[in-house]
Amino acid sequence: MEILILILTIFLVFISEFFNTAVENLCDLYTNEYNEKVKIIKDIGAGAVTLSAIASVIVGIIMFLPKILNII
């Protein structure tokens, strides 16, 4: 079960990064000039990727820290 959760968490980060890249490319198609709303959209996408990465780190800590402490 732990391996399944770990795999799903890793893929969550990849999927969120793919969606963020797609949104950023769509925004770049919309305008090449500076646009405050486009900046906000890109920042939200980057924030979502950051949150998914933080979640994956938390899952990794919960899964592996007890095992590492047992070895030490």
Side-chain angles (χ1 to χ4, degrees):
M1 192 65 167
E2 287 181 343
I3 296 298
L4 179 63
I5 293 170
L6 186 62
I7 290 170
L8 288 174
T9 304
I10 291 168
F11 275 96
L12 172 69
V13 176
F14 282 122
I15 291 167
S16 62
E17 183 59 47
F18 291 148
F19 277 119
N20 182 46
T21 302
V23 168
E24 286 186 356
N25 285 324
L26 282 172
C27 289
D28 290 341
L29 280 175
Y30 174 72
T31 183
N32 287 329
E33 299 173 6
Y34 178 80
N35 186 318
E36 187 65 28
K37 288 186 179 183
V38 169
K39 178 191 178 302
I40 292 170
I41 291 168
K42 288 183 175 186
D43 288 346
I44 291 170
V49 173
T50 303
L51 285 177
S52 67
I54 290 170
S56 70
V57 168
I58 292 170
V59 168
I61 289 171
I62 291 170
M63 289 177 60
F64 294 115
L65 187 61
K67 294 174 184 178
I68 292 170
L69 292 177
N70 282 337
I71 293 173
I72 296 174

